[in-house]
Amino acid sequence: MTSTSCHRNRYLQGLTYFYNMVALLKTLILLIIATALAITALLVPAQIRSVDPTVVELAGANSSSVEDKIWEEINAAYVGPAQRFAAATGSQDPAQQTQIQLLLDQNPNFASSGGPNRDFEDLLKRSVTQRKSRAVIPQLLPRSERASLTESLSTSRNRNVTALLSIRDIAGLSRLHPASHAAGAPYDAGVLTLALLIEAGHFQPSLAQQIGNLATLAAGYNPEATIACEDLVIGTLSLGRQLDYTSLVSLAELTETLGDWSQMAALFRAQPDRIAENYTALRFSESPDTLYRYLAEQTETGNQDLDFALRHGPGAVSHLIHTEQPLFQASSIPGTVLSLLAPFRPQIFVEITLHNNTLGQALKFALLFLAGLAFAFAMGSAWRNSLGNTSTVSRSNPMVMARDILISFVVVLTIWTIFEPNILKSKESVSDSGPRIEFAVADSLQSIKSPVKSMQEINQVTLLVLALFFIIQLVIYSFCLIKIKEVSKQALSSDMKLKLLDNEENLFDFGLYVGLGGTVLSLILVAVGIVEASLMAAYASTLFGILFTAILKVMHLRPYRRQLILSADAA
């Protein structure tokens, strides 16, 4: 009997060891699956508050290349635009530079006109000024140049040109002086430049007519029309003092509204050291309003991101500014991880994100959610293995399933936040009156503004933080319910079950501890500016902890303890 009992014990020990190894192997496999799914999700270049550089690169690769765009300008003998394209994109193709220099040697006036343009070249030929300027407005400032151009335009049959010439000596200007004034050369040069562009047909007919109607009203002493004409001339001066005539013509052909013209001028005034970059971006995007809004909103990284897109061509620029998001820049450790994974990224992931960013985000979320489920299953397997022969709750139990799903959401939010920290930055709302670009002087209110938002403000970041705290409390709540269920299934006396519940008292209070910790951590993160959420989100962590702990103890723990006490008394 002793020998049989000994063999039986060894058999049971071996069987237990086997089951433990199987459980351990199952846990490891689930963890490997979770890691593989998480890595696969990180290979999807879909972000919420930014756009991945690989997506911008692919957008550029699917359109004309920078070299092709420069050669298009060179083949048309548009020297000025070609030089600006090359300067903005960093292109240093010797063949291109040689061809540009050959065009300038054969046509010296191209240095001022920017390319073949009969109207402006005729003006240069009639010029008595020996020194030719590389920009339109400086070339027209001398009285003799303006007189020559006025004489040429005076014979025009274009009603809009005639209307512009009639406001050269208009009264009521507040920032400029009329042409007859000693300081009226800039205003006169701006008016004549507009007239020349309209005479040559470079503005759209509807826009040219709108300009002509404004000039007619201004000539009739309409104060509002006078101000509008002055604004239009100031915008023309801002562009014309930086660009040659051919480059200015190309922007005029892009202009659909007077607002577009003013926005392009605002860009050139705000960033006088980025003329080539802004000009090239305008030409590549063919959308002045979109580019203007992008740079107005992305004041911190807009120029850097735009330079990156410029090097990859028109498609890259258009995609970047239409997303209205900055380029994705991961922090040190996540950035290192992503750079190591980048060579293994399937091209299909990039193409999906490029054509439908929402679909890319959904794919990434699904992969992270599956990774979270695998992680939850692994933790559940390890938990059941650690309990040994103790009876556990079935995996089909609704609370166990809810716990696993909630853990998956926590995994999604945690990993996504770690690898895209910008998701915790609040997005400043843009004023309805239109964006204002102020790069030279920072807004004094902006410089002293606290990252703490008002208590009533609920933005996307606040909602995200609230959701995270709520899900964490749900996970803890589910764990506690499962623990109560496990104790109830034990084949023990009521007194012993009461002792086990007393032993788990800290677990039942864990939601309250986490809630208080979440509030303290949130206040610290808000104070140092890492997270830009309202104080409501921080205090909600404690509130959720109190509510869930109260619900657990009053609605679940107290009735079960009462039942056990009555059973123990009856026994």
Side-chain angles (χ1 to χ4, degrees):
M1 290 293 293
T2 304
S3 177
T4 302
S5 177
C6 181
H7 283 297
R8 183 178 180 182
N9 289 336
R10 289 180 179 177
Y11 172 75
L12 292 175
Q13 291 176 356
L15 189 61
T16 302
Y17 177 78
F18 174 76
Y19 284 140
N20 289 338
M21 292 302 298
V22 170
L24 177 61
L25 181 61
K26 179 182 177 181
T27 302
L28 291 176
I29 292 175
L30 287 171
L31 287 175
I32 292 174
I33 292 174
T35 303
L37 288 170
I39 290 175
T40 305
L42 294 177
L43 292 176
V44 180
Q47 318 298 337
I48 296 177
R49 288 289 185 86
S50 57
V51 55
D52 199 277
T54 57
V55 177
V56 176
E57 291 176 2
L58 181 61
N62 291 342
S63 66
S64 300
S65 66
V66 171
E67 289 72 19
D68 290 340
K69 298 298 292 184
I70 296 176
W71 276 117
E72 287 177 7
E73 303 298 316
I74 293 176
N75 292 334
Y78 293 157
V79 176
Q83 288 178 320
R84 287 182 171 81
F85 284 5
T89 59
S91 176
Q92 298 180 347
D93 187 346
Q96 294 175 350
Q97 299 299 323
T98 301
Q99 188 62 29
I100 290 175
Q101 189 59 47
L102 179 61
L103 288 171
L104 290 173
D105 293 340
Q106 294 174 348
N107 307 274
N109 283 339
F110 281 5
S112 298
S113 66
N117 190 287
R118 180 173 299 177
D119 296 328
F120 199 77
E121 286 185 279
D122 289 344
L123 175 65
L124 294 175
K125 290 177 182 178
R126 296 193 304 268
S127 174
V128 296
T129 305
Q130 297 297 323
R131 184 178 179 182
K132 302 295 190 299
S133 174
R134 290 183 175 270
V136 177
I137 297 301
Q139 180 67 31
L140 295 178
L141 288 179
R143 185 183 299 273
S144 59
E145 303 297 320
R146 288 183 284 120
S148 175
L149 182 56
T150 302
E151 180 182 358
S152 173
L153 292 173
S154 62
T155 61
S156 173
R157 298 180 180 180
N158 191 316
R159 187 191 69 84
N160 300 318
V161 173
T162 303
L164 279 172
L165 295 179
S166 68
I167 64 170
R168 293 177 63 211
D169 288 315
I170 191 174
L173 299 176
S174 60
R175 289 161 289 176
L176 298 173
H177 298 283
S180 59
H181 193 275
Y187 174 76
D188 194 24
V191 171
L192 292 175
T193 301
L194 282 171
L196 182 60
L197 291 171
I198 292 177
E199 174 67 16
H202 297 305
F203 281 119
Q204 296 181 11
S206 59
L207 182 58
Q209 182 175 349
Q210 186 178 355
I211 296 173
N213 291 338
L214 274 178
T216 301
L217 290 174
Y221 304 104
N222 184 307
E224 295 181 357
T226 301
I227 294 174
C229 286
E230 189 175 16
D231 289 338
L232 182 61
V233 171
I234 290 175
T236 305
L237 293 175
S238 299
L239 296 170
R241 66 187 292 269
Q242 301 286 358
L243 300 176
D244 57 74
Y245 186 73
T246 301
S247 298
L248 186 63
V249 163
S250 63
L251 293 187
E253 293 173 347
L254 289 177
T255 307
E256 297 182 355
T257 65
L258 293 179
D260 289 345
W261 191 254
S262 299
Q263 288 174 341
M264 290 189 289
L267 282 177
F268 280 44
R269 285 195 301 268
Q271 299 180 328
D273 57 335
R274 289 181 55 83
I275 301 301
E277 289 81 358
N278 286 332
Y279 170 80
T280 305
L282 287 167
R283 290 288 309 278
F284 281 5
S285 66
E286 299 182 353
S287 180
D289 180 65
T290 307
L291 176 65
Y292 178 81
R293 284 189 288 105
Y294 181 82
L295 291 177
E297 294 174 3
Q298 308 299 330
T299 56
E300 295 183 0
T301 62
N303 289 334
Q304 179 183 348
D305 297 344
L306 187 60
D307 290 343
F308 175 86
L310 284 171
R311 293 191 294 270
H312 291 87
V317 174
S318 295
H319 183 78
L320 175 67
I321 66 174
H322 280 92
T323 61
E324 300 182 356
Q325 301 286 1
L327 280 181
F328 171 68
Q329 294 180 348
S331 54
S332 56
I333 297 179
T336 302
V337 174
L338 292 176
S339 63
L340 294 174
L341 296 177
F344 305 100
R345 175 179 287 122
Q347 187 69 10
I348 186 65
F349 286 174
V350 185
E351 293 176 355
I352 289 175
T353 306
L354 173 62
H355 293 102
N356 191 332
N357 188 57
T358 302
L359 181 60
Q361 292 174 354
L363 175 61
K364 187 173 185 177
F365 178 87
L367 291 170
L368 286 176
F369 186 79
L370 292 175
L373 277 181
F375 176 77
F377 293 160
M379 294 300 97
S381 176
W383 174 265
R384 288 190 299 275
N385 186 42
S386 65
L387 296 178
N389 296 326
T390 304
S391 178
T392 59
V393 180
S394 171
R395 294 198 62 87
S396 60
N397 186 282
M399 292 310 305
V400 175
M401 297 173 64
R403 178 201 64 186
D404 293 341
I405 292 175
L406 293 172
I407 289 177
S408 300
F409 279 114
V410 172
V411 170
V412 171
L413 291 174
T414 302
I415 294 179
W416 208 313
T417 301
I418 290 175
F419 285 89
E420 190 184 357
N422 284 342
I423 200 174
L424 295 178
K425 298 290 184 181
S426 64
K427 188 174 182 180
E428 296 291 335
S429 60
V430 182
S431 173
D432 294 337
S433 61
R436 297 177 60 195
I437 300 182
E438 297 179 346
F439 298 97
V441 181
D443 185 4
S444 58
L445 292 177
Q446 181 69 22
S447 62
I448 63 174
K449 185 177 67 175
S450 170
V452 179
K453 303 298 186 294
S454 64
M455 289 289 293
Q456 291 77 19
E457 180 184 2
I458 301 181
N459 53 29
Q460 293 181 358
V461 178
T462 301
L463 293 176
L464 176 64
V465 175
L466 287 173
L468 179 61
F469 287 149
F470 187 79
I471 292 174
I472 290 175
Q473 290 293 338
L474 279 177
V475 171
I476 298 172
Y477 180 72
S478 300
F479 267 109
C480 293
L481 290 182
I482 293 172
K483 175 53 66 176
I484 294 176
K485 191 70 173 178
E486 287 178 352
V487 172
S488 67
K489 293 182 64 177
Q490 303 299 319
L492 300 173
S493 65
S494 297
D495 289 334
M496 184 59 68
K497 289 182 179 180
L498 285 169
K499 292 180 180 179
L500 288 176
L501 291 177
D502 291 338
N503 184 61
E504 301 294 345
E505 192 65 29
N506 288 331
L507 174 63
F508 299 144
D509 291 333
F510 189 60
L512 185 59
Y513 304 148
V514 172
L516 291 171
T519 295
V520 174
L521 179 62
S522 298
L523 292 175
I524 293 174
L525 294 178
V526 169
V528 299
I530 296 178
V531 177
E532 296 181 1
S534 69
L535 293 178
M536 180 183 65
Y539 295 138
S541 177
T542 298
L543 177 62
F544 289 154
I546 294 173
L547 291 177
F548 277 98
T549 302
I551 292 172
L552 174 71
K553 288 193 171 184
V554 173
M555 298 184 64
H556 299 283
L557 187 59
R558 181 178 175 275
Y560 182 56
R561 273 181 169 167
R562 183 176 181 276
Q563 177 184 344
L564 291 177
I565 291 172
L566 292 175
S567 296
D569 184 66

